[in-house]
Amino acid sequence: MGLPHWALIFSEPTVDTPKRKTMRFPLDVPVTFWWTDANGGHQLGEGRSFDVSELGVFVCASDCPPAGAQVGLKISITGVPDAQRALRMEVRGRVLRVEQVRSGEGRDGFAILSDQAILREGDKNTREGNSDSEDEPESDFGD
């Protein structure tokens, strides 16, 4: 039957150390993320994905949610060969770690362990070529 057309967006997996449980796939696309801060305030941020696996995502961003925070992500994937519309991945999970490198080497961002992920072909919330950052991101996760 072959792979679905969206599988082509994931290039060769990165070489992982033996302690990794799943393969990581490099994916550099826009990400919108949100979380509730310690004061109960709704926070919204933007970044770019670095890699994606079955278990989580690393997001490159200058402003990150704190370790332990529950986060939602909307990952916009455009320009997929043979796809009629852009794809959108929605992920919900917990921040495992935050990396903030000040030396100019490495990357700033955060890693999440996903609880749930949905991949869908473009719908009313996905606009091709747009990271779709809105004040209140819509999601099927039932916030």
Side-chain angles (χ1 to χ4, degrees), residues 43-84:
Q43 301 297 317
L44 181 67
E46 292 184 338
R48 294 194 69 83
S49 61
F50 181 77
D51 61 25
V52 177
S53 78
E54 290 179 49
L55 297 177
V57 179
F58 188 89
V59 177
C60 295
S62 55
D63 294 322
C64 302
Q70 288 293 126
V71 296
L73 303 174
K74 189 184 296 183
I75 303 172
S76 299
I77 307 168
T78 60
V80 179
D82 298 327
Q84 293 181 359

mmCIF file of all heavy atoms in Angstrom, residues 43-84:
data_model
loop_
_atom_site.group_PDB
_atom_site.id
_atom_site.type_symbol
_atom_site.label_atom_id
_atom_site.label_comp_id
_atom_site.label_asym_id
_atom_site.label_seq_id
_atom_site.Cartn_x
_atom_site.Cartn_y
_atom_site.Cartn_z
ATOM 1 N N GLN A 43 -0.595 31.877 28.228
ATOM 2 C CA GLN A 43 0.605 32.324 27.528
ATOM 3 C C GLN A 43 0.630 31.702 26.136
ATOM 4 O O GLN A 43 0.225 30.555 25.951
ATOM 5 C CB GLN A 43 1.860 31.909 28.294
ATOM 6 C CG GLN A 43 1.934 32.455 29.697
ATOM 7 C CD GLN A 43 1.993 33.977 29.712
ATOM 8 O OE1 GLN A 43 2.710 34.588 28.913
ATOM 9 N NE2 GLN A 43 1.242 34.583 30.614
ATOM 10 N N LEU A 44 1.126 32.470 25.168
ATOM 11 C CA LEU A 44 1.193 32.035 23.784
ATOM 12 C C LEU A 44 2.583 32.329 23.260
ATOM 13 O O LEU A 44 3.136 33.399 23.522
ATOM 14 C CB LEU A 44 0.142 32.784 22.955
ATOM 15 C CG LEU A 44 0.029 32.455 21.476
ATOM 16 C CD1 LEU A 44 -0.482 31.032 21.295
ATOM 17 C CD2 LEU A 44 -0.915 33.436 20.799
ATOM 18 N N GLY A 45 3.177 31.392 22.549
ATOM 19 C CA GLY A 45 4.499 31.596 21.982
ATOM 20 C C GLY A 45 4.604 31.022 20.592
ATOM 21 O O GLY A 45 3.749 30.244 20.156
ATOM 22 N N GLU A 46 5.664 31.417 19.900
ATOM 23 C CA GLU A 46 5.930 30.915 18.559
ATOM 24 C C GLU A 46 7.375 30.475 18.473
ATOM 25 O O GLU A 46 8.241 31.025 19.144
ATOM 26 C CB GLU A 46 5.664 31.982 17.509
ATOM 27 C CG GLU A 46 4.213 32.352 17.374
ATOM 28 C CD GLU A 46 3.969 33.350 16.257
ATOM 29 O OE1 GLU A 46 4.913 34.066 15.865
ATOM 30 O OE2 GLU A 46 2.830 33.413 15.784
ATOM 31 N N GLY A 47 7.620 29.484 17.643
ATOM 32 C CA GLY A 47 8.969 29.002 17.419
ATOM 33 C C GLY A 47 9.000 28.162 16.170
ATOM 34 O O GLY A 47 8.148 28.297 15.292
ATOM 35 N N ARG A 48 9.989 27.279 16.101
ATOM 36 C CA ARG A 48 10.134 26.354 14.975
ATOM 37 C C ARG A 48 10.454 24.982 15.535
ATOM 38 O O ARG A 48 11.178 24.872 16.516
ATOM 39 C CB ARG A 48 11.229 26.814 14.028
ATOM 40 C CG ARG A 48 10.856 28.137 13.352
ATOM 41 C CD ARG A 48 11.720 28.462 12.181
ATOM 42 N NE ARG A 48 11.558 27.612 11.028
ATOM 43 C CZ ARG A 48 10.610 27.748 10.092
ATOM 44 N NH1 ARG A 48 9.703 28.697 10.219
ATOM 45 N NH2 ARG A 48 10.552 26.939 9.060
ATOM 46 N N SER A 49 9.907 23.973 14.895
ATOM 47 C CA SER A 49 10.244 22.626 15.328
ATOM 48 C C SER A 49 11.689 22.333 14.930
ATOM 49 O O SER A 49 12.204 22.883 13.955
ATOM 50 C CB SER A 49 9.306 21.599 14.688
ATOM 51 O OG SER A 49 9.418 21.622 13.287
ATOM 52 N N PHE A 50 12.335 21.503 15.714
ATOM 53 C CA PHE A 50 13.698 21.058 15.405
ATOM 54 C C PHE A 50 13.668 19.592 15.005
ATOM 55 O O PHE A 50 14.227 19.203 14.003
ATOM 56 C CB PHE A 50 14.621 21.275 16.605
ATOM 57 C CG PHE A 50 16.032 20.855 16.351
ATOM 58 C CD1 PHE A 50 16.871 21.653 15.600
ATOM 59 C CD2 PHE A 50 16.517 19.655 16.834
ATOM 60 C CE1 PHE A 50 18.175 21.270 15.342
ATOM 61 C CE2 PHE A 50 17.814 19.254 16.588
ATOM 62 C CZ PHE A 50 18.651 20.068 15.835
ATOM 63 N N ASP A 51 13.004 18.792 15.828
ATOM 64 C CA ASP A 51 12.788 17.400 15.474
ATOM 65 C C ASP A 51 11.518 16.884 16.133
ATOM 66 O O ASP A 51 10.997 17.475 17.069
ATOM 67 C CB ASP A 51 13.993 16.514 15.786
ATOM 68 C CG ASP A 51 14.375 16.469 17.250
ATOM 69 O OD1 ASP A 51 13.522 16.703 18.121
ATOM 70 O OD2 ASP A 51 15.540 16.172 17.530
ATOM 71 N N VAL A 52 11.018 15.783 15.571
ATOM 72 C CA VAL A 52 9.768 15.187 16.014
ATOM 73 C C VAL A 52 9.987 13.683 16.119
ATOM 74 O O VAL A 52 10.690 13.098 15.302
ATOM 75 C CB VAL A 52 8.641 15.471 14.986
ATOM 76 C CG1 VAL A 52 7.347 14.796 15.381
ATOM 77 C CG2 VAL A 52 8.440 16.957 14.793
ATOM 78 N N SER A 53 9.394 13.077 17.137
ATOM 79 C CA SER A 53 9.418 11.619 17.260
ATOM 80 C C SER A 53 8.021 11.154 17.657
ATOM 81 O O SER A 53 7.125 11.969 17.870
ATOM 82 C CB SER A 53 10.441 11.169 18.307
ATOM 83 O OG SER A 53 9.937 11.356 19.608
ATOM 84 N N GLU A 54 7.859 9.855 17.796
ATOM 85 C CA GLU A 54 6.580 9.319 18.260
ATOM 86 C C GLU A 54 6.234 9.825 19.655
ATOM 87 O O GLU A 54 5.081 9.935 20.009
ATOM 88 C CB GLU A 54 6.637 7.794 18.330
ATOM 89 C CG GLU A 54 6.690 7.113 17.003
ATOM 90 C CD GLU A 54 6.779 5.613 17.191
ATOM 91 O OE1 GLU A 54 5.972 5.052 17.968
ATOM 92 O OE2 GLU A 54 7.659 5.015 16.583
ATOM 93 N N LEU A 55 7.255 10.115 20.453
ATOM 94 C CA LEU A 55 7.035 10.469 21.851
ATOM 95 C C LEU A 55 7.076 11.956 22.154
ATOM 96 O O LEU A 55 6.715 12.358 23.254
ATOM 97 C CB LEU A 55 8.063 9.755 22.738
ATOM 98 C CG LEU A 55 8.002 8.240 22.729
ATOM 99 C CD1 LEU A 55 9.111 7.661 23.592
ATOM 100 C CD2 LEU A 55 6.638 7.754 23.197
ATOM 101 N N GLY A 56 7.542 12.784 21.218
ATOM 102 C CA GLY A 56 7.630 14.192 21.552
ATOM 103 C C GLY A 56 8.188 15.056 20.448
ATOM 104 O O GLY A 56 8.383 14.612 19.318
ATOM 105 N N VAL A 57 8.444 16.302 20.826
ATOM 106 C CA VAL A 57 8.898 17.327 19.894
ATOM 107 C C VAL A 57 9.915 18.209 20.607
ATOM 108 O O VAL A 57 9.768 18.475 21.801
ATOM 109 C CB VAL A 57 7.709 18.218 19.443
ATOM 110 C CG1 VAL A 57 8.153 19.311 18.493
ATOM 111 C CG2 VAL A 57 6.586 17.403 18.844
ATOM 112 N N PHE A 58 10.945 18.674 19.872
ATOM 113 C CA PHE A 58 11.806 19.736 20.387
ATOM 114 C C PHE A 58 11.454 20.987 19.602
ATOM 115 O O PHE A 58 11.434 20.977 18.369
ATOM 116 C CB PHE A 58 13.300 19.429 20.233
ATOM 117 C CG PHE A 58 14.140 20.439 20.946
ATOM 118 C CD1 PHE A 58 14.485 20.253 22.275
ATOM 119 C CD2 PHE A 58 14.542 21.605 20.311
ATOM 120 C CE1 PHE A 58 15.232 21.211 22.962
ATOM 121 C CE2 PHE A 58 15.284 22.568 20.982
ATOM 122 C CZ PHE A 58 15.632 22.366 22.311
ATOM 123 N N VAL A 59 11.143 22.068 20.326
ATOM 124 C CA VAL A 59 10.757 23.343 19.716
ATOM 125 C C VAL A 59 11.836 24.370 19.995
ATOM 126 O O VAL A 59 12.207 24.580 21.156
ATOM 127 C CB VAL A 59 9.402 23.841 20.286
ATOM 128 C CG1 VAL A 59 9.049 25.200 19.705
ATOM 129 C CG2 VAL A 59 8.304 22.825 20.020
ATOM 130 N N CYS A 60 12.350 25.005 18.953
ATOM 131 C CA CYS A 60 13.303 26.107 19.102
ATOM 132 C C CYS A 60 12.505 27.394 19.312
ATOM 133 O O CYS A 60 11.655 27.738 18.489
ATOM 134 C CB CYS A 60 14.180 26.234 17.857
ATOM 135 S SG CYS A 60 15.248 24.813 17.587
ATOM 136 N N ALA A 61 12.750 28.058 20.432
ATOM 137 C CA ALA A 61 12.032 29.287 20.769
ATOM 138 C C ALA A 61 12.841 30.066 21.787
ATOM 139 O O ALA A 61 13.543 29.477 22.613
ATOM 140 C CB ALA A 61 10.652 28.960 21.337
ATOM 141 N N SER A 62 12.713 31.389 21.740
ATOM 142 C CA SER A 62 13.431 32.219 22.710
ATOM 143 C C SER A 62 12.671 32.313 24.027
ATOM 144 O O SER A 62 13.270 32.368 25.094
ATOM 145 C CB SER A 62 13.708 33.607 22.142
ATOM 146 O OG SER A 62 12.504 34.200 21.714
ATOM 147 N N ASP A 63 11.344 32.330 23.980
ATOM 148 C CA ASP A 63 10.512 32.334 25.186
ATOM 149 C C ASP A 63 9.888 30.959 25.320
ATOM 150 O O ASP A 63 9.139 30.526 24.446
ATOM 151 C CB ASP A 63 9.420 33.397 25.096
ATOM 152 C CG ASP A 63 9.990 34.794 25.091
ATOM 153 O OD1 ASP A 63 10.973 35.031 25.814
ATOM 154 O OD2 ASP A 63 9.455 35.650 24.356
ATOM 155 N N CYS A 64 10.181 30.278 26.428
ATOM 156 C CA CYS A 64 9.755 28.890 26.609
ATOM 157 C C CYS A 64 8.895 28.729 27.848
ATOM 158 O O CYS A 64 9.089 29.417 28.845
ATOM 159 C CB CYS A 64 10.982 27.988 26.770
ATOM 160 S SG CYS A 64 12.127 28.038 25.395
ATOM 161 N N PRO A 65 7.959 27.777 27.809
ATOM 162 C CA PRO A 65 7.236 27.434 29.035
ATOM 163 C C PRO A 65 8.196 26.754 30.006
ATOM 164 O O PRO A 65 9.217 26.198 29.584
ATOM 165 C CB PRO A 65 6.156 26.461 28.550
ATOM 166 C CG PRO A 65 6.578 26.012 27.204
ATOM 167 C CD PRO A 65 7.532 26.999 26.656
ATOM 168 N N PRO A 66 7.914 26.780 31.283
ATOM 169 C CA PRO A 66 8.822 26.162 32.261
ATOM 170 C C PRO A 66 8.753 24.633 32.221
ATOM 171 O O PRO A 66 7.739 24.059 31.798
ATOM 172 C CB PRO A 66 8.310 26.697 33.599
ATOM 173 C CG PRO A 66 6.865 26.972 33.363
ATOM 174 C CD PRO A 66 6.763 27.425 31.930
ATOM 175 N N ALA A 67 9.809 24.000 32.678
ATOM 176 C CA ALA A 67 9.828 22.542 32.790
ATOM 177 C C ALA A 67 8.647 22.092 33.642
ATOM 178 O O ALA A 67 8.315 22.726 34.643
ATOM 179 C CB ALA A 67 11.141 22.071 33.403
ATOM 180 N N GLY A 68 7.988 21.044 33.228
ATOM 181 C CA GLY A 68 6.837 20.515 33.947
ATOM 182 C C GLY A 68 5.500 21.053 33.488
ATOM 183 O O GLY A 68 4.462 20.480 33.808
ATOM 184 N N ALA A 69 5.493 22.163 32.746
ATOM 185 C CA ALA A 69 4.230 22.766 32.300
ATOM 186 C C ALA A 69 3.538 21.892 31.260
ATOM 187 O O ALA A 69 4.188 21.257 30.438
ATOM 188 C CB ALA A 69 4.490 24.154 31.702
ATOM 189 N N GLN A 70 2.208 21.869 31.324
ATOM 190 C CA GLN A 70 1.411 21.226 30.279
ATOM 191 C C GLN A 70 1.306 22.216 29.131
ATOM 192 O O GLN A 70 0.974 23.390 29.357
ATOM 193 C CB GLN A 70 0.020 20.877 30.799
ATOM 194 C CG GLN A 70 -0.007 19.725 31.764
ATOM 195 C CD GLN A 70 0.366 18.402 31.105
ATOM 196 O OE1 GLN A 70 1.267 17.735 31.584
ATOM 197 N NE2 GLN A 70 -0.284 18.026 30.038
ATOM 198 N N VAL A 71 1.603 21.770 27.915
ATOM 199 C CA VAL A 71 1.577 22.657 26.752
ATOM 200 C C VAL A 71 0.770 22.036 25.627
ATOM 201 O O VAL A 71 0.615 20.824 25.542
ATOM 202 C CB VAL A 71 3.002 22.977 26.230
ATOM 203 C CG1 VAL A 71 3.798 23.740 27.246
ATOM 204 C CG2 VAL A 71 3.716 21.726 25.793
ATOM 205 N N GLY A 72 0.271 22.901 24.764
ATOM 206 C CA GLY A 72 -0.346 22.497 23.507
ATOM 207 C C GLY A 72 0.495 23.071 22.381
ATOM 208 O O GLY A 72 1.033 24.179 22.513
ATOM 209 N N LEU A 73 0.635 22.344 21.300
ATOM 210 C CA LEU A 73 1.400 22.793 20.140
ATOM 211 C C LEU A 73 0.562 22.658 18.895
ATOM 212 O O LEU A 73 -0.181 21.685 18.745
ATOM 213 C CB LEU A 73 2.645 21.926 19.910
ATOM 214 C CG LEU A 73 3.688 21.757 20.976
ATOM 215 C CD1 LEU A 73 4.710 20.721 20.517
ATOM 216 C CD2 LEU A 73 4.374 23.056 21.254
ATOM 217 N N LYS A 74 0.724 23.606 18.000
ATOM 218 C CA LYS A 74 0.151 23.500 16.667
ATOM 219 C C LYS A 74 1.323 23.639 15.702
ATOM 220 O O LYS A 74 1.997 24.669 15.685
ATOM 221 C CB LYS A 74 -0.880 24.591 16.421
ATOM 222 C CG LYS A 74 -1.652 24.405 15.131
ATOM 223 C CD LYS A 74 -2.609 25.552 14.863
ATOM 224 C CE LYS A 74 -3.683 25.630 15.914
ATOM 225 N NZ LYS A 74 -4.656 26.696 15.620
ATOM 226 N N ILE A 75 1.594 22.594 14.944
ATOM 227 C CA ILE A 75 2.717 22.564 14.018
ATOM 228 C C ILE A 75 2.152 22.636 12.605
ATOM 229 O O ILE A 75 1.399 21.751 12.195
ATOM 230 C CB ILE A 75 3.555 21.280 14.200
ATOM 231 C CG1 ILE A 75 4.056 21.175 15.643
ATOM 232 C CG2 ILE A 75 4.699 21.237 13.212
ATOM 233 C CD1 ILE A 75 4.721 19.851 15.978
ATOM 234 N N SER A 76 2.499 23.695 11.873
ATOM 235 C CA SER A 76 2.023 23.886 10.502
ATOM 236 C C SER A 76 3.041 23.316 9.530
ATOM 237 O O SER A 76 4.214 23.663 9.586
ATOM 238 C CB SER A 76 1.831 25.374 10.216
ATOM 239 O OG SER A 76 0.872 25.906 11.099
ATOM 240 N N ILE A 77 2.570 22.432 8.655
ATOM 241 C CA ILE A 77 3.454 21.776 7.697
ATOM 242 C C ILE A 77 2.944 22.088 6.299
ATOM 243 O O ILE A 77 1.866 21.631 5.910
ATOM 244 C CB ILE A 77 3.481 20.248 7.941
ATOM 245 C CG1 ILE A 77 3.828 19.958 9.405
ATOM 246 C CG2 ILE A 77 4.460 19.574 6.995
ATOM 247 C CD1 ILE A 77 3.613 18.519 9.819
ATOM 248 N N THR A 78 3.695 22.882 5.562
ATOM 249 C CA THR A 78 3.293 23.280 4.212
ATOM 250 C C THR A 78 4.280 22.733 3.190
ATOM 251 O O THR A 78 5.372 22.303 3.528
ATOM 252 C CB THR A 78 3.241 24.816 4.088
ATOM 253 O OG1 THR A 78 4.528 25.334 4.363
ATOM 254 C CG2 THR A 78 2.232 25.410 5.047
ATOM 255 N N GLY A 79 3.872 22.772 1.946
ATOM 256 C CA GLY A 79 4.761 22.367 0.864
ATOM 257 C C GLY A 79 5.025 20.880 0.804
ATOM 258 O O GLY A 79 6.077 20.447 0.340
ATOM 259 N N VAL A 80 4.071 20.066 1.251
ATOM 260 C CA VAL A 80 4.238 18.618 1.212
ATOM 261 C C VAL A 80 3.931 18.127 -0.199
ATOM 262 O O VAL A 80 2.852 18.405 -0.731
ATOM 263 C CB VAL A 80 3.299 17.925 2.226
ATOM 264 C CG1 VAL A 80 3.457 16.422 2.153
ATOM 265 C CG2 VAL A 80 3.568 18.442 3.619
ATOM 266 N N PRO A 81 4.859 17.387 -0.816
ATOM 267 C CA PRO A 81 4.597 16.882 -2.168
ATOM 268 C C PRO A 81 3.319 16.041 -2.199
ATOM 269 O O PRO A 81 3.062 15.249 -1.299
ATOM 270 C CB PRO A 81 5.816 16.003 -2.464
ATOM 271 C CG PRO A 81 6.880 16.494 -1.541
ATOM 272 C CD PRO A 81 6.164 16.978 -0.322
ATOM 273 N N ASP A 82 2.527 16.238 -3.222
ATOM 274 C CA ASP A 82 1.281 15.500 -3.461
ATOM 275 C C ASP A 82 0.164 15.801 -2.455
ATOM 276 O O ASP A 82 -0.897 15.203 -2.549
ATOM 277 C CB ASP A 82 1.521 13.981 -3.500
ATOM 278 C CG ASP A 82 2.446 13.574 -4.630
ATOM 279 O OD1 ASP A 82 2.396 14.234 -5.689
ATOM 280 O OD2 ASP A 82 3.217 12.627 -4.450
ATOM 281 N N ALA A 83 0.384 16.676 -1.510
ATOM 282 C CA ALA A 83 -0.698 17.047 -0.585
ATOM 283 C C ALA A 83 -1.481 18.190 -1.205
ATOM 284 O O ALA A 83 -0.902 19.146 -1.709
ATOM 285 C CB ALA A 83 -0.140 17.473 0.762
ATOM 286 N N GLN A 84 -2.788 18.087 -1.188
ATOM 287 C CA GLN A 84 -3.619 19.137 -1.755
ATOM 288 C C GLN A 84 -3.673 20.359 -0.850
ATOM 289 O O GLN A 84 -3.900 21.463 -1.307
ATOM 290 C CB GLN A 84 -5.023 18.616 -2.015
ATOM 291 C CG GLN A 84 -5.040 17.568 -3.102
ATOM 292 C CD GLN A 84 -6.439 17.068 -3.377
ATOM 293 O OE1 GLN A 84 -7.408 17.477 -2.746
ATOM 294 N NE2 GLN A 84 -6.545 16.165 -4.328
#
